[in-house]
Amino acid sequence: MKNYIILFIIIFNTIACSDKKNEIKEFHETINVKHKNKMGISIYYQEENVKKPTIFFLSAATTDRRVYTHLYHHLVQQGYVVVGLSTQSFASDYIMNHFYDALLFGKKFCNEKGIIDETRIGLAGHSSGAGILPSLGYKLFTEDKLGENGRFIWGASPWIDFQHQKNMKLPKNTNFVTELFEDDYSTDPRIYLDMYKHINVEHKTFIMAKEGGNHQTIFYPYPRELVKKTIYEPITNLASFTFRGKNKEMIFSKKEINSKYLKIEAEGTLPSMRDYKLMLDKFRWSKSSFGCKPTPNYAPNPREKECMNYTNK
């Protein structure tokens, strides 16, 4: 009987320790940055003093970064540290600088906890948060030399990168993915297609999420299958290939992948002319103001000319 009790205690402690190890810890803070803006920072991880690849996620416009918590939790469970970032005021003139300042704060916290592997860094974002990823990637990957053993950019429905100039080149080993949703036509497709086309890296691909995916899909964990197939799986496969050298053909394929939920273009290629015209027609039909030439409330688009004269080839 005594032996059974001892065995029960060992099993119970093992399960308890395992649950504690797998528990997701959270840190939330709001900080002041330059130009009178406030940035929200949320950090998700499992263990202290265990360095892991770290993914920084930039939220859309003034959307609170915690809206995407379901995605953060999924990525943490895949073995990553996630830092969610959001801005309280848009401030297009300095938006990349604001996110950079907040990212440095998050990086400092992660270093103090011993949880960040600075040689393996991913940048992800949504809408305007996705739009500024090329200039932020230049700052982190080219200037700061982060991600030497693995770096990626994944942008969902990106808008304008107000700070990006032609001479801001990303390292060739930056894995670059642009994803759009078939029922998301609030943003001029020439913006993200131009951005995708001029990014000169070894691996890049363009993804279309189908089955009714739209600008709001990434906000919620439901409908479960749609979110799993169009959000979780693409970014997980991208991170797996970037940081572990696995699942390359599931994200960067030599041939087009066309499934029920996703259309992944062959590596390095643009969507077909048919798909491009369909995207542009939907945008024009929607009468959205989020075009190549932003309204007077925003800073100029540094690639406005290329965007307005965009050709899909």
Side-chain angles (χ1 to χ4, degrees), residues 104-295:
L104 291 183
F105 182 95
K107 185 165 74 73
K108 181 175 182 291
F109 174 92
C110 290
N111 274 314
E112 290 172 351
K113 294 292 183 180
I115 58 177
I116 183 173
D117 179 356
E118 292 191 5
T119 72
R120 295 185 290 171
I121 299 292
L123 293 179
H126 176 216
S127 195
S128 58
I132 64 172
L133 292 178
S135 62
L136 186 62
Y138 175 81
K139 188 77 173 169
L140 293 174
F141 299 155
T142 302
E143 292 188 345
D144 296 351
K145 309 297 183 185
L146 298 184
E148 291 181 347
N149 295 328
R151 45 174 74 106
F152 74 73
I153 290 176
W154 179 87
S157 300
W159 197 42
I160 295 169
D161 190 336
F162 295 100
Q163 278 75 50
H164 194 70
Q165 302 295 330
K166 292 179 181 178
N167 63 338
M168 300 171 74
K169 306 296 184 184
L170 295 173
K172 288 281 190 176
N173 68 343
T174 305
N175 296 325
F176 191 88
V177 174
T178 296
E179 182 165 353
L180 184 69
F181 304 91
E182 68 174 356
D183 287 342
D184 180 1
Y185 32 86
S186 58
T187 299
D188 193 327
R190 292 172 293 183
I191 295 172
Y192 45 76
L193 288 170
D194 171 61
M195 181 189 298
Y196 172 80
K197 184 170 67 173
H198 91 274
I199 294 293
N200 185 19
V201 294
E202 186 177 355
H203 299 296
K204 66 177 181 179
T205 195
F206 187 93
I207 299 177
M208 173 71 78
K210 302 189 292 184
E211 288 296 304
N214 58 62
H215 204 76
Q216 310 300 316
T217 296
I218 193 172
F219 285 153
Y220 312 108
Y222 301 102
R224 188 67 182 173
E225 195 67 10
L226 177 66
V227 174
K228 176 184 175 183
K229 294 296 183 180
T230 64
I231 305 296
Y232 294 176
E233 290 189 4
I235 195 170
T236 298
N237 289 332
L238 174 61
S240 180
F241 169 61
T242 302
F243 302 137
R244 298 165 181 163
K246 299 180 179 179
N247 300 335
K248 177 181 184 295
E249 289 300 316
M250 298 179 73
I251 190 70
F252 297 114
S253 175
K254 295 178 181 178
K255 297 181 180 180
E256 175 191 291
I257 300 173
N258 200 348
S259 64
K260 178 181 179 181
Y261 288 97
L262 289 176
K263 183 178 181 182
I264 303 178
E265 302 294 337
E267 185 178 27
T269 63
L270 287 160
S272 67
M273 281 300 297
R274 178 184 176 277
D275 288 344
Y276 164 62
K277 289 179 178 178
L278 185 62
M279 287 186 280
L280 190 59
D281 287 344
K282 284 186 174 182
F283 168 72
R284 287 170 171 163
W285 170 83
S286 72
K287 301 187 185 303
S288 170
S289 61
F290 296 101
C292 292
K293 187 174 184 178
T295 65

Side-chain angles (χ1 to χ4, degrees), residues 1-13:
M1 182 65 179
K2 182 179 179 181
N3 290 337
Y4 283 115
I5 294 173
I6 293 173
L7 179 61
F8 173 79
I9 292 172
I10 292 172
I11 293 173
F12 177 81
N13 286 336

